[in-house]
Amino acid sequence: MIAKSRTRDVNKRRKRQFRGETDDSKCLVTNKDHSRGPDCRCHALERRRSGRIQLLLAIELKEQGSFFVGGRTETVSPDNDITVDQMYVQYQIPQDAKRHFPVVMIHGCCLSGKSWEETPDGRMGWNTYFVQRNRPTYVVDQVSRARSGFDATVFNQVKAGTLPPSSLPSITQVSHQSSWNIFRFGLTFGQPFTNLQFPIAQVEGLYQQEIPDLNSLLPADNPTYTNLSTLAKSLDGAVLMGHSESGFFPQFSALVDTTKIKGLITLEHNCNVFTDVQIKTLAKIPQLIVFGDFIELFPQWVTANQSCTNYVARIKAAGGDITFIHLPDIGIHGNSHMMMLDKNNLQVADVVLDWIDKHVGKRGGGKQ
């Protein structure tokens, strides 16, 4: 489906929207068979949700859809085969993508691809913003999470009595209190930092996103790594961006196969320790690591920061192109661990996009 919008002055359109003068008759969608019909979701409009006004800007799409990558057949019993380890991918390709490499967005622990969509207080998320900036986006659900599904075999075997209860894997489900601490909303639960960028009044919207994490079902070589590498090859080049738990998924995917992986972006994660051979491989690909604010106030984040300092030094020593950004150091303050949902999320997104332009460039070469 190709979402069409008429070319008009954006400022005039915004003024009309705030006056409530949106024209639903011009909200049209053009399908592959060239049929047209009303679809105001595709056009700039003003809408109210829970007392909030949110502005949606028109985006012209060349294509959007979803698919699965990977998977393997597992025989549970005779004549009982299932598919497991597949990865769900949702994508949007802007009409004016030109030669920009796609950006693959990978969520963190106890979350899903929703992390990259609309913020809890109804603002534009990174998925939409990157598309608005003419970047094809591919938002994934990790293997064993959300729409990717998980292998329920062991649970059924325990219920049937063919395996003991001790065979059950642990399931991680983060609490509100743990989220508050890990995401650095404040030192004490319920008392946010005064300059916190996260929309704390709508924190319940984040809690609603938190779902059980069944990664303990997976082998040490997480199938998501191979699936991400396969996805990059199928796209003929992509930038992989991981957050939190998946912060180093891009690096592990590159160690599976560097082919067509054009950039590695890590948003806040402990930087893993690799062998010299692995470091040499990773140094071939441009890398960006980003940390937010309040790091020095949380021991676990001090440790994570130091591990990344060490990693950066090793990559540079191997001749690699790696950038380590602490947002406060470049004048951006108050960001939580969930920077893609913070009130200044688009400002942070611009930092990432600027890095891509300067260090990854476009298809056929050319960097800013």
Side-chain angles (χ1 to χ4, degrees), residues 75-356:
T75 299
V76 178
S77 60
D79 298 321
N80 186 10
D81 296 336
I82 61 174
T83 296
V84 298
D85 295 349
Q86 67 273 25
M87 182 179 76
Y88 178 86
V89 184
Q90 179 176 299
Y91 70 94
Q92 288 187 307
I93 303 173
Q95 190 70 260
D96 196 25
K98 295 181 179 177
R99 301 196 314 274
H100 288 297
F101 286 109
V103 178
V104 179
M105 302 178 175
I106 316 149
H107 62 82
C109 167
C110 312
L111 296 166
S112 68
K114 170 60 181 170
S115 300
W116 307 103
E117 298 175 359
E118 186 180 69
T119 66
D121 57 339
R123 290 172 293 107
M124 183 184 295
W126 281 20
N127 179 32
T128 301
Y129 186 63
F130 275 59
V131 172
Q132 190 180 83
R133 291 286 304 275
N134 297 317
R135 316 300 166 117
T137 62
Y138 291 75
V139 176
V140 310
D141 286 341
Q142 291 183 36
V143 173
S144 83
R145 198 83 53 81
R147 289 168 293 186
S148 291
F150 64 93
D151 184 356
T153 301
V154 66
F155 298 98
N156 291 330
Q157 290 173 330
V158 169
K159 182 177 181 180
T162 57
L163 285 178
S166 59
S167 300
L168 289 172
S170 60
I171 300 176
T172 302
Q173 192 157 18
V174 67
S175 68
H176 298 175
Q177 291 78 8
S178 294
S179 297
W180 191 278
N181 179 269
I182 295 170
F183 297 165
R184 303 193 310 279
F185 294 158
L187 292 173
T188 302
F189 179 67
Q191 299 179 24
F193 293 119
T194 56
N195 63 330
L196 179 68
Q197 290 284 0
F198 186 84
I200 205 66
Q202 284 79 35
V203 68
E204 182 63 31
L206 173 63
Y207 297 155
Q208 290 171 332
Q209 295 184 33
E210 295 175 341
I211 58 178
D213 184 325
L214 287 89
N215 278 17
S216 59
L217 283 169
L218 303 176
D221 290 330
N222 191 324
T224 302
Y225 305 157
T226 298
N227 290 344
L228 288 170
S229 179
T230 299
L231 177 60
K233 284 186 285 188
S234 72
L235 298 176
D236 194 29
V239 175
L240 306 183
M241 178 166 61
H243 170 247
S244 194
E245 175 188 63
S246 72
F248 254 46
F249 280 25
Q251 283 80 355
F252 284 112
S253 300
L255 292 175
V256 172
D257 190 346
T258 59
T259 305
K260 300 300 181 180
I261 297 179
K262 302 300 181 179
L264 309 173
I265 299 175
T266 297
L267 306 178
E268 294 206 356
H269 181 66
N270 288 300
C271 290
N272 296 69
V273 177
F274 296 101
T275 67
D276 289 342
V277 173
Q278 291 173 322
I279 289 291
K280 185 176 180 180
T281 298
L282 293 171
K284 298 176 182 178
I285 306 172
Q287 299 180 57
L288 170 66
I289 300 174
V290 181
F291 273 66
D293 209 342
F294 316 115
I295 299 298
E296 70 282 358
L297 301 178
F298 296 84
Q300 69 268 40
W301 287 114
V302 171
T303 299
N305 179 77
Q306 185 58 54
S307 70
C308 289
T309 299
N310 297 339
Y311 175 77
V312 168
R314 293 187 68 195
I315 292 294
K316 287 184 175 180
D321 173 6
I322 187 166
T323 305
F324 192 4
I325 296 177
H326 292 86
L327 294 177
D329 291 345
I330 60 173
I332 302 176
H333 299 276
N335 282 104
S336 72
H337 181 54
M338 300 301 295
M339 59 185 71
M340 74 289 295
L341 301 180
D342 286 345
K343 288 179 284 187
N344 65 340
N345 65 333
L346 303 188
Q347 183 183 21
V348 179
D350 283 336
V351 172
V352 174
L353 288 164
D354 181 66
W355 178 86
I356 292 174

Side-chain angles (χ1 to χ4, degrees), residues 12-64:
K12 290 181 179 178
R13 183 167 65 240
R14 285 177 175 171
K15 290 178 182 178
R16 289 182 64 247
Q17 289 165 334
F18 283 119
R19 292 197 304 263
E21 297 176 6
T22 54
D23 185 354
D24 290 356
S25 67
K26 295 180 180 179
C27 297
L28 299 173
V29 61
T30 301
N31 300 309
K32 291 183 178 180
D33 62 358
H34 304 293
S35 62
R36 294 166 69 85
D39 190 339
C40 292
R41 293 170 302 174
C42 306
H43 196 73
L45 53 89
E46 177 188 60
R47 72 179 183 183
R48 297 177 181 271
R49 290 179 55 192
S50 304
R52 304 191 303 269
I53 296 179
Q54 103 176 353
L55 181 65
L56 303 181
L57 298 181
I59 297 176
E60 192 171 6
L61 296 179
K62 178 181 179 181
E63 186 179 348
Q64 68 177 3

